[in-house]
Amino acid sequence: MGFLLFSGTANLALAGAIADSAGIPLGRAEIETFPDGELHVTVAESVRGRDVYLLQPTPAPAERHIFELLLLADACRRGGAERVTGVLPYVGYARQDRRTAPGEAPAARVMADVLATGRFHRLVAIDLHSAALEGFFPIPLEHLSAVPVLVQALRERGVRPGVVVAPDLGAAKLAERYAGLLELPVAIVHKTRLSGAEVRVRQISGAVRGLAPLIVDDMISTGGTISAAVAALRDAGSESEIIVAATHALLVGPARERLAQASLASLFVTDSVLGGRVPGLPLHCVSVAPLLAQVLTRLHDDTPLEGFSITD
Ligand code: R5P
């Protein structure tokens, strides 16, 4: 018997695309909000003895999305599911993985603890903010990468960059992954974060003059990091055709305006959070549905994830 896939409300379009790609119907779940704001979740079909996957990325409002996921998991457990796996293509709060000042809470750790209360058999995530986050979770986590999917999309569009650029030190490993597949050198922009929405560039390590840069990041939130990197690259004499690839397109606050002002040649993102078009941006939204459909099928069949999992 095949696996069952249910979805929270965070990205129903992606859930539908995964179900289509896996050749299964999307499971029926009802998620409503009572007049007092409380959530009410019903899994509307039998899960007894089944291998169940629950899709729910957790962008804002992360608290609601997480609680929906926990209620879905509980409903499946009580319904007799044999295995319940949480599939979080984007994990919110992941950037708050350490205390940077006294009095702060390392929210990523708290998030991992909260998710563990769902008693999932395992979790699946794509391009976590850092690989070290995996260790925060007391349950198995399959850490996938969208980099091969995005590189494939770049190739199909005939995009030929000359250097892969990490827009901060934290993105260096990610940049190496792109560079390995594209057989390109890496340059690193050294940035200082001034606030949640403002960053400043200090310097660039590596050659960029005369080269077409591909800036890569795990996520774009306010667009501050990308727009600062674009300005620094142009000042450093890179080619003016700048391409950006990022897995998670949150695009909050001033992001759309900043990215439009950056005059990018193209912006490649996935549908981990965002679906569809964004007017005014040269956006190519690449679906992670086929990747997730293949991974869930392999997990269901208990076959290795070689080539899919970052940690394999
Ligand atoms: C930071 O370390 C992340 O990898 C991203 O570079 C950052 O969070 C993006 O945020 P924003 O778009 O607001 O600069």
Side-chain angles (χ1 to χ4, degrees):
M1 209 183 306
F3 62 88
L4 291 175
L5 174 68
F6 295 93
S7 179
T9 60
N11 197 340
L12 276 161
L14 176 59
I18 297 169
D20 284 351
S21 192
I24 57 168
L26 185 60
R28 281 180 293 116
E30 285 153 22
I31 300 176
E32 56 179 329
T33 308
F34 281 157
D36 60 1
E38 288 184 357
L39 284 169
H40 180 251
V41 164
T42 311
V43 170
E45 59 190 89
S46 173
V47 295
R48 188 160 301 283
R50 302 295 297 272
D51 186 18
V52 176
Y53 295 81
L54 304 176
L55 183 95
Q56 181 82 320
T58 57
E63 306 74 17
R64 179 190 164 104
H65 292 142
I66 291 164
F67 203 56
E68 276 183 15
L69 179 62
L70 294 177
L71 293 180
L72 281 167
D74 189 74
C76 291
R77 291 220 157 270
R78 285 174 200 274
E82 188 185 305
R83 291 200 306 200
V84 181
T85 299
V87 184
L88 291 85
Y90 169 73
V91 177
Y93 282 100
R95 288 183 291 176
Q96 297 185 51
D97 56 359
R98 70 195 70 145
R99 299 201 310 156
T100 56
E104 286 180 353
R109 173 60 212 239
V110 176
M111 169 84 162
D113 287 346
V114 169
L115 281 169
T117 65
R119 294 180 296 129
F120 294 100
H121 178 71
R122 69 177 70 232
L123 297 172
V124 176
I126 302 179
D127 290 330
L128 286 168
H129 177 57
S130 81
L133 274 170
E134 234 184 282
F136 285 29
F137 291 87
I139 45 177
L141 185 145
E142 303 295 350
H143 188 189
L144 314 178
S145 178
V147 171
V149 174
L150 285 162
V151 164
Q152 175 71 17
L154 291 167
R155 287 194 176 121
E156 281 169 11
R157 299 248 161 197
V159 174
R160 292 189 200 291
V163 58
V164 178
V165 179
D168 58 26
L169 213 45
K173 277 246 165 304
L174 182 75
E176 279 167 17
R177 236 179 286 139
Y178 276 93
L181 291 173
L182 292 164
E183 299 181 6
L184 289 174
V186 170
I188 299 174
V189 174
H190 296 269
K191 92 177 179 196
T192 305
R193 185 163 281 286
L194 306 175
S195 70
E198 303 294 331
V199 300
R200 188 177 57 218
V201 169
R202 286 179 283 119
Q203 62 177 82
I204 300 177
S205 321
V208 295
R209 182 166 294 281
L211 297 174
L214 166 66
I215 306 174
V216 299
D217 211 345
D218 58 323
M219 60 189 287
I220 304 175
S221 180
T222 67
T225 301
I226 296 298
S227 62
V230 166
L233 286 166
R234 290 205 169 115
D235 285 351
S238 77
E239 259 191 28
S240 54
E241 294 257 300
I242 296 180
I243 303 131
V244 172
T247 304
H248 311 296
L250 300 182
L251 307 187
V252 303
R256 289 162 200 235
E257 202 184 327
R258 283 174 167 173
L259 294 171
Q261 277 168 5
S263 303
L264 302 173
S266 348
L267 170 58
F268 289 79
V269 299
T270 79
D271 58 353
S272 65
V273 177
L274 180 86
R277 298 182 62 248
V278 178
L281 293 182
L283 191 83
H284 305 289
C285 188
V286 184
S287 185
V288 288
L291 166 71
L292 285 169
Q294 285 184 69
V295 165
L296 302 194
T297 303
R298 280 174 182 243
L299 289 174
H300 175 65
D301 295 340
D302 285 326
T303 51
L305 293 189
E306 285 149 5
F308 292 98
S309 173
I310 287 181
T311 35
D312 264 355

